[in-house]
Amino acid sequence: MKIAVIGSGYVGLVTGTCLAETGNNVTCVDIDINKIEKLNAGIITIYEPGLDVIFKRNLKQERLFFTSNLAAGIKGAKIIFLALPTPPGEDGNADLQYVLKVSEEIGKLIDEYIIIVNKSTVPVGTSEKVRKAVEKSAKTDFDVVSNPEFLREGVAVEDFMKPDRIVIGSSSDKAKKIMESIYLPFLRQGNPIIFMDERSAELTKYAANSFLATKISFMNEIANLCDLLGANVDNVRKGIGTDDRIGKRFLFAGIGYGGSCFPKDVLALCKTSDEVKYDFKILNSVMEVNALQKTKLIETARQYFDGNLNGKVLGVWGLAFKPYTDDIREAPAIENIRKLLSEGASIQAFDPEAMENVEKELGGLIKLCDNQYQALENADALFIFTEWPVFRTPDFEKMISLLKSKVIFDGRNLYEIDDLHKFGFTYFNIGRTNNSSR
Ligand code: NAD
């Protein structure tokens, strides 16, 4: 089937490439001409494990195309996926300008039945707005489908190729049938397509992300309580995670959630609630807890350095908002670094994949290191902000030889406390003041 994907970022590029992998003819469109030139030249523009190989295969076998021209991109397409940004607007609501502008343009261009599928995360009621925007100038019949995307950066290809579920919000039987035929190759293990109305589909995405963010903030509060009560959050995590009503995942305490989705989606759901005069108490607290948790280690560091971070040289491991991505949008590391800089510290940092993006954001303000050990040279302490596996079993002897002081502020609880004490480190972490593992 001929498919167009509008927006070729993290979601659009993965969606387009994976749909080409199952035999569709896919054209990805983006207004960023530089991005399109790179993609056409076979250069992948994001880091996403496994994407490179299928991207190159489908490009070579001429099932995957890129253009910055919307009219050319959607010509002959039976389905148009929208994978456009929906960042928070000034009031915190999702900004729909990209989605609605493209929808209007599509309306002017279509001349036969087409399905417009919204993959962007959008507030309840957006399907109707998209329909109205297209209708303004459409000369033909069309359907609008809400198909929220649940892929996770870092495992996006796996998530797209083998999704837990596909949610399709539509009231059109014709559109539902076509959507089913597109997705069946991805559901061979029997995971479901869940059909529902558009509004419920839109809300499902916000509910999923908000629930996960709630789990994170809940565990971070348990961790804070552990520190005050002399308990160990790792023990508590194992103790509750074995209850299958709770589950083992998303129970790790740390320095809070970040990324391009959770912060904006939790905020947007609160705003949606406000609009209908519903006070979503839990979610407001989830945001408050996360904001405090994000920079919690700085307070610990201030206390350790007698209230003064001015002139301290700080090594930083991990800049991406999570491992296996180069995405630094709303990354706790970036907020922490800006705060540390404002208090007069100097930063030397390393991340396995995010250095290019960090250079754009903080270039000139911090020292960008070639490897994790360079970040330790003559440093007064090490901060760990992202749980990249490569940081889990470092060469501790080498670390000691490079650091000025053996001090670690670990926002991701990477190490066994006893092991670090044996090496003589002063080791701060989240919720494990009591280091007993039994
Ligand atoms: P992104 O910023 O990586 O990509 C968006 C792309 O759209 C950019 O390349 C941008 O240049 C392009 N664009 C902007 N205006 C355009 C226009 N008028 N025409 C064509 N292209 C245009 O964003 P993303 O992370 O892929 O997220 C897209 C949507 O998917 C958001 O609503 C997001 O909330 C949602 N989502 C994201 C994830 C994720 O993990 N990133 C997961 C699920 C859902």
Side-chain angles (χ1 to χ4, degrees):
M1 191 173 307
K2 194 153 191 300
I3 292 173
V5 179
I6 319 300
S8 309
Y10 286 90
V11 170
L13 188 57
V14 171
T15 300
T17 306
C18 292
L19 287 170
E21 180 72 359
T22 51
N24 297 294
N25 176 311
V26 182
T27 302
C28 296
V29 180
D30 205 287
I31 40 161
D32 184 338
I33 293 171
N34 188 28
K35 194 176 272 190
I36 292 298
E37 275 173 3
K38 278 190 178 160
L39 291 166
N40 270 326
I43 301 163
I44 198 135
T45 43
I46 54 170
Y47 172 73
E48 193 55 55
L51 186 62
D52 205 20
V53 176
I54 55 172
F55 163 77
K56 290 213 167 100
R57 177 164 54 232
N58 286 284
L59 202 62
K60 192 169 161 218
Q61 295 176 4
E62 298 186 350
R63 281 188 301 269
L64 186 58
F65 305 89
F66 296 94
T67 178
S68 53
N69 182 324
L70 182 67
I74 68 169
K75 198 171 171 27
K78 300 277 174 257
I79 304 183
I80 302 175
F81 284 91
L82 305 182
L84 292 158
T86 49
E90 268 169 33
D91 60 356
N93 269 309
D95 182 352
L96 289 177
Q97 61 164 313
Y98 306 95
V99 170
L100 296 180
K101 191 164 170 279
V102 168
S103 302
E104 274 189 33
E105 285 174 38
I106 289 172
K108 291 179 198 153
L109 295 166
I110 53 174
D111 50 16
E112 58 181 322
Y113 174 79
I114 200 155
I115 304 175
I116 298 157
V117 183
N118 190 17
K119 269 212 164 299
S120 297
T121 303
V122 292
V124 174
T126 302
S127 280
E128 288 126 81
K129 288 185 181 163
V130 168
R131 164 161 286 285
K132 286 203 176 105
V134 178
E135 246 164 18
K136 274 188 194 167
S137 22
K139 295 179 219 62
T140 174
D141 187 21
F142 65 94
D143 277 310
V144 176
V145 168
S146 167
N147 170 216
E149 180 52 59
F150 297 99
L151 64 76
R152 296 161 296 167
E153 285 176 28
V155 278
V157 172
E158 207 181 310
D159 281 350
F160 199 96
M161 295 306 288
K162 291 179 185 173
D164 291 339
R165 80 303 206 183
I166 296 293
V167 170
I168 302 286
S170 173
S171 40
S172 153
D173 288 338
K174 186 174 174 184
K176 281 193 234 173
K177 267 212 172 83
I178 296 174
M179 292 305 291
E180 190 172 27
S181 71
I182 284 293
Y183 276 119
L184 276 179
F186 301 97
L187 298 165
R188 294 183 50 76
Q189 288 170 335
N191 289 345
I193 300 191
I194 306 168
F195 291 105
M196 58 182 79
D197 60 282
E198 295 85 339
R199 289 185 158 244
S200 302
E202 287 161 347
L203 187 55
T204 297
K205 173 67 191 179
Y206 283 108
N209 275 359
S210 298
F211 188 77
L212 293 169
T214 303
K215 255 183 134 175
I216 294 173
S217 278
F218 178 84
M219 277 316 280
N220 285 334
E221 291 228 274
I222 293 289
N224 295 340
L225 206 49
C226 282
D227 279 338
L228 295 170
L229 296 175
N232 180 325
V233 73
D234 265 350
N235 295 340
V236 178
R237 170 177 61 79
K238 288 174 198 155
I240 64 171
T242 37
D243 181 333
D244 62 13
R245 291 170 305 174
I246 295 173
K248 295 188 178 70
R249 298 166 72 187
F250 262 76
L251 293 183
F252 288 85
I255 46 163
Y257 61 78
S260 69
C261 292
F262 284 7
K264 89 169 164 59
D265 293 349
V266 174
L267 178 62
L269 188 52
C270 282
K271 292 291 163 190
T272 298
S273 308
D274 288 349
E275 274 168 15
V276 289
K277 305 217 167 0
Y278 182 74
D279 178 15
F280 205 141
K281 293 188 180 64
I282 292 178
L283 275 195
N284 282 303
S285 299
V286 165
M287 289 192 292
E288 202 184 322
V289 169
N290 197 57
L292 291 171
Q293 194 72 14
K294 260 189 173 179
T295 51
K296 192 179 154 62
L297 282 180
I298 294 188
E299 184 49 42
T300 312
R302 255 188 232 122
Q303 279 170 20
Y304 178 78
F305 289 113
D306 297 327
N308 192 1
L309 294 169
N310 192 24
K312 298 289 175 233
V313 177
L314 303 173
V316 166
W317 284 1
L319 301 162
F321 85 93
K322 66 175 186 176
Y324 292 110
T325 181
D326 59 354
D327 195 346
I328 57 164
R329 291 178 286 183
E330 297 278 329
I334 305 302
E335 188 174 329
N336 274 282
I337 288 173
R338 286 194 187 284
K339 267 215 158 76
L340 291 166
L341 288 172
S342 74
E343 296 195 22
S346 62
I347 304 290
Q348 35 198 51
F350 174 75
D351 184 279
E353 290 295 339
M355 298 306 275
E356 218 179 296
N357 286 335
V358 171
E359 189 166 10
K360 284 182 213 150
E361 178 102 10
L362 295 173
L365 297 175
I366 66 172
K367 182 178 171 193
L368 300 166
C369 298
D370 296 331
N371 61 64
Q372 69 198 70
Y373 294 104
Q374 198 186 18
L376 306 180
E377 284 170 11
N378 230 10
D380 293 291
L382 165 65
F383 276 76
I384 300 174
F385 292 129
T386 318
E387 64 277 33
W388 279 96
V390 73
F391 302 145
R392 284 189 187 272
T393 38
D395 181 340
F396 288 114
E397 301 283 5
K398 190 168 173 181
M399 289 171 72
I400 289 166
S401 74
L402 293 166
L403 282 162
K404 192 154 82 186
S405 331
K406 294 192 274 181
V407 184
I408 299 178
F409 297 95
D410 179 1
R412 299 297 175 187
N413 285 351
L414 295 192
Y415 308 120
E416 292 301 323
I417 297 169
D418 286 344
D419 292 352
L420 262 71
H421 287 170
K422 272 182 215 146
F423 280 105
F425 280 98
T426 303
Y427 180 50
F428 297 98
N429 51 72
I430 308 286
R432 299 187 301 165
T433 306
N434 170 353
N435 69 0
S436 160
S437 56
R438 270 183 289 274

